[in-house]
Amino acid sequence: MKPADYKATLSFSNGSASVELPVYQGTIGPDVIDIRKLYAQTGMFTYDPGFLSTASCRSAITYIDGDKGELLYRGYPIEQLATQCDFMETCYLLLYGELPNAKDKQNFTRLVTMHTMVNEQMQFFLRGFMRSAHPMAVMTGLVGALSAFYHDSTDINNPKHREIAAIRLIAKLPTLVAMAYKYSVGQPYIYPRNDLSYAGNFLHMMFATPCEEYKVSPVLERAMDRIFILHADHEQNASTSTVRLCGSSGTNPFAAIAAGVACLWGPAHGGANEAALNMLYDLQKAGGVAKIGEFIKQVKDKNSNVKLMGFGHRVYKNYDPRAKLMQQTCNEVLDELGLHNDPLFALAKALEKIALEDDYFVSRKLYPNVDFYSGIVQRAIGIPVSLFTAVFALARTTGWIAQLDEMIGDAEYKIARPRQLFVGTPQRDVKPIAQR
Ligand code: CMC
């Protein structure tokens, strides 16, 4: 770490001596107070459940300004990447730090394309699952199992292993997600095709059958590619922090990414796109647009525990920039498929309008997040609701790997081991069972 940019003084009201703490400035964003020596200096820990004020690492990958509604991958605004680059270029950027030139892009895309097949044995592993299993349960198992199938790239301290594991994960995730889907509907698996783009190949593996030719729609292919770009990384969110924490023990990259998949599943994180669509279905069943007022009343009632899924964000207190881009894609896809008047999509639009005008949401800076629209787009494309989070995991895999790699290359990284404020019973003696 560079020398401190300035110092902070921490003083105590109990007469303990004050301590000086180094403060560092990043290139942008809030400065950080370095508390690593705090325990040694004072015998105290800091307390920050949920990491509301804690930077868990230093990183040069993704930057979010939640108040401005700004998202940068390696310094590039998400709006420029989403409109001027494709997912392969975005992956390259996240992994290597710079956008590829034409030759680099061609080589990288070729490398990923050559790794899209999975070991044939994977099918038999998949067969052990119930066909009704949730795709995220299946994906947690399949991604974890990659370490058993590709044992020659599991040494996290070997840069070559890490690079091969990264390419394998990026290349094979679409194949695994599509296999999980085909298995759930009882259709034969469709092998990847090397003449298709990353997004086009995913759609092909999802929707083709051996019975007839499947033509990838360029509008849907672009929409899928945009979903991947927008979900590729999001700085130190819950699943990324899980991947870093898991990887900090020295476990292999496949295991660390499987931990990220498991964390992403939760409805407050990646599971929100599925929860948002299910919320729309429930509202539709209850009466649709006519019932929005009643539903919003429940959302505002603190005792109801009902949330407007797909709204609000821990970091964005302004419009999520990804949501704006996804909203454009949503309109393109609904146009392409002639679904603008579909009752479910009309309901989503009505809900969005009301929530954006309602003082409860406005005053709390609760805007639609990316998941609100990505769920609608995926549903329109024909992806089943239960698979949404698996698609998110597929896209986020690149970010997870880039962050894991960055951590391992950081000379200051240590096994992550948070401390606690203990509030349980102090030491006591076990009584004989008859006296308890
Ligand atoms: N519906 C209704 N009220 C909400 C919502 C919502 N979706 N989100 C936040 N609030 C209220 C919350 O009750 C609180 O009200 P009050 O100040 O009166 O107590 C206020 O807004 C501040 O919210 P918070 O819960 O302190 O904010 P947080 O940063 O802890 O939570 C969140 C962020 C994303 C977990 C939450 O907004 C939420 O549960 N949203 C719905 C789930 C969702 O869409 N998640 C996807 C996040 S984006 C994808 C990703 O990055 O994983």
Side-chain angles (χ1 to χ4, degrees):
M1 192 67 123
K2 59 177 186 166
D5 290 298
Y6 57 98
K7 299 239 161 89
T9 306
L10 178 65
S11 56
F12 302 89
S13 60
N14 66 356
S16 305
S18 59
V19 286
E20 279 205 329
L21 299 163
V23 181
Y24 304 114
Q25 293 173 322
T27 41
I28 31 174
D31 300 349
V32 299
I33 305 170
D34 182 348
I35 53 162
R36 283 175 294 177
K37 300 217 170 91
L38 186 72
Y39 180 55
Q41 285 175 297
T42 65
M44 285 182 196
F45 299 138
T46 55
Y47 180 62
D48 187 16
F51 296 98
L52 294 173
S53 296
T54 298
S56 61
C57 62
R58 51 183 183 170
S59 181
I61 303 176
T62 294
Y63 175 77
I64 303 172
D65 185 325
D67 293 323
K68 279 204 236 159
E70 180 180 74
L71 169 61
L72 311 175
Y73 291 168
R74 302 279 190 188
Y76 294 109
I78 192 68
E79 292 82 358
Q80 291 180 25
L81 293 168
T83 52
Q84 296 172 42
C85 299
D86 65 17
F87 184 61
M88 282 294 97
E89 291 170 81
T90 307
C91 286
Y92 188 98
L93 173 69
L94 288 170
L95 292 177
Y96 304 115
E98 293 299 336
L99 279 168
N101 60 27
K103 187 97 198 107
D104 293 336
K105 179 180 174 183
Q106 194 188 17
N107 289 340
F108 181 74
T109 306
R110 180 93 193 126
L111 188 62
V112 171
T113 307
M114 295 313 284
H115 281 88
T116 48
M117 285 211 301
V118 294
N119 188 304
E120 202 65 1
Q121 199 65 16
M122 201 61 144
Q123 294 185 19
F124 304 109
F125 179 66
L126 187 51
R127 254 187 228 169
F129 288 100
M130 311 240 314
R131 287 199 192 256
S132 58
H134 192 284
M136 284 302 276
V138 174
M139 286 308 295
T140 312
L142 292 186
V143 175
L146 288 174
S147 51
F149 286 95
Y150 302 101
H151 204 73
D152 57 343
S153 56
T154 49
D155 178 0
I156 209 162
N157 295 313
N158 181 329
K160 263 267 136 296
H161 279 215
R162 289 210 307 276
E163 191 171 359
I164 299 166
I167 298 296
R168 282 177 167 159
L169 279 157
I170 293 168
K172 293 181 200 308
L173 257 282
T175 314
L176 294 179
V177 173
M179 282 173 77
Y181 169 60
K182 288 296 195 190
Y183 182 72
S184 73
V185 290
Q187 288 184 9
Y189 306 124
I190 301 294
Y191 286 103
R193 266 188 34 193
N194 287 0
D195 58 327
L196 296 175
S197 71
Y198 188 86
N201 187 38
F202 175 62
L203 289 172
H204 178 259
M205 290 188 290
M206 283 286 296
F207 300 119
T209 67
C211 316
E212 59 184 4
E213 203 196 336
Y214 173 80
K215 264 202 105 36
V216 177
S217 145
V219 173
L220 304 192
E221 182 180 9
R222 211 171 37 245
M224 210 63 242
D225 193 75
R226 185 171 277 192
I227 289 178
F228 294 158
I229 294 174
L230 299 184
H231 287 85
D233 196 41
H234 214 225
E235 58 99 316
Q236 308 311 320
N237 55 83
S239 58
T240 301
S241 300
T242 300
V243 169
R244 280 184 177 258
L245 194 137
C246 186
S248 78
S249 74
T251 191
N252 71 75
F254 302 110
I257 303 299
V261 175
C263 176
L264 189 73
W265 192 359
H269 191 9
N273 49 19
E274 178 177 346
L277 241 277
N278 285 335
M279 171 191 79
L280 290 176
Y281 280 134
D282 288 346
L283 190 54
Q284 196 181 24
K285 253 192 256 150
V289 177
K291 291 285 173 182
I292 289 182
E294 214 172 285
F295 176 65
I296 294 280
K297 224 189 226 164
Q298 280 178 25
V299 168
K300 293 191 215 171
D301 177 2
K302 286 279 162 232
N303 301 319
S304 76
N305 259 337
V306 178
K307 282 213 161 154
L308 184 53
M309 300 312 284
F311 269 68
H313 199 274
R314 169 59 60 81
V315 182
Y316 294 118
K317 301 301 169 197
N318 199 326
Y319 221 102
D320 176 344
R322 304 167 303 168
K324 275 194 201 146
L325 291 156
M326 211 61 241
Q327 192 187 32
Q328 277 171 11
T329 301
C330 186
N331 286 328
E332 275 170 35
V333 168
L334 296 185
D335 275 349
E336 164 81 1
L337 300 171
L339 285 173
H340 263 298
N341 294 324
D342 181 280
L344 190 78
F345 301 124
L347 179 62
K349 297 220 152 234
L351 193 60
E352 174 203 12
K353 186 169 182 309
I354 289 172
L356 284 174
E357 288 165 0
D358 191 297
D359 186 55
Y360 174 93
F361 298 94
V362 176
S363 63
R364 287 171 178 74
K365 302 186 176 168
L366 299 172
Y367 295 91
N369 56 52
V370 66
D371 288 326
F372 187 71
Y373 299 107
S374 76
I376 299 172
V377 173
Q378 290 189 62
R379 190 67 205 100
I381 290 176
I383 296 173
V385 176
S386 62
L387 208 74
F388 289 0
T389 316
V391 171
F392 188 163
L394 179 177
R396 185 56 59 85
T397 293
T398 300
W400 288 332
I401 296 166
Q403 300 268 353
L404 183 62
D405 238 26
E406 183 182 64
M407 180 189 78
I408 292 161
D410 185 342
E412 293 187 348
Y413 113 81
K414 288 188 176 337
I415 184 166
R417 176 58 171 90
R419 307 303 293 254
Q420 64 175 10
L421 171 65
F422 182 70
V423 293
T425 312
Q427 188 177 356
R428 53 182 166 166
D429 296 321
V430 174
K431 288 187 182 149
I433 195 160
Q435 290 172 27
R436 286 179 225 158

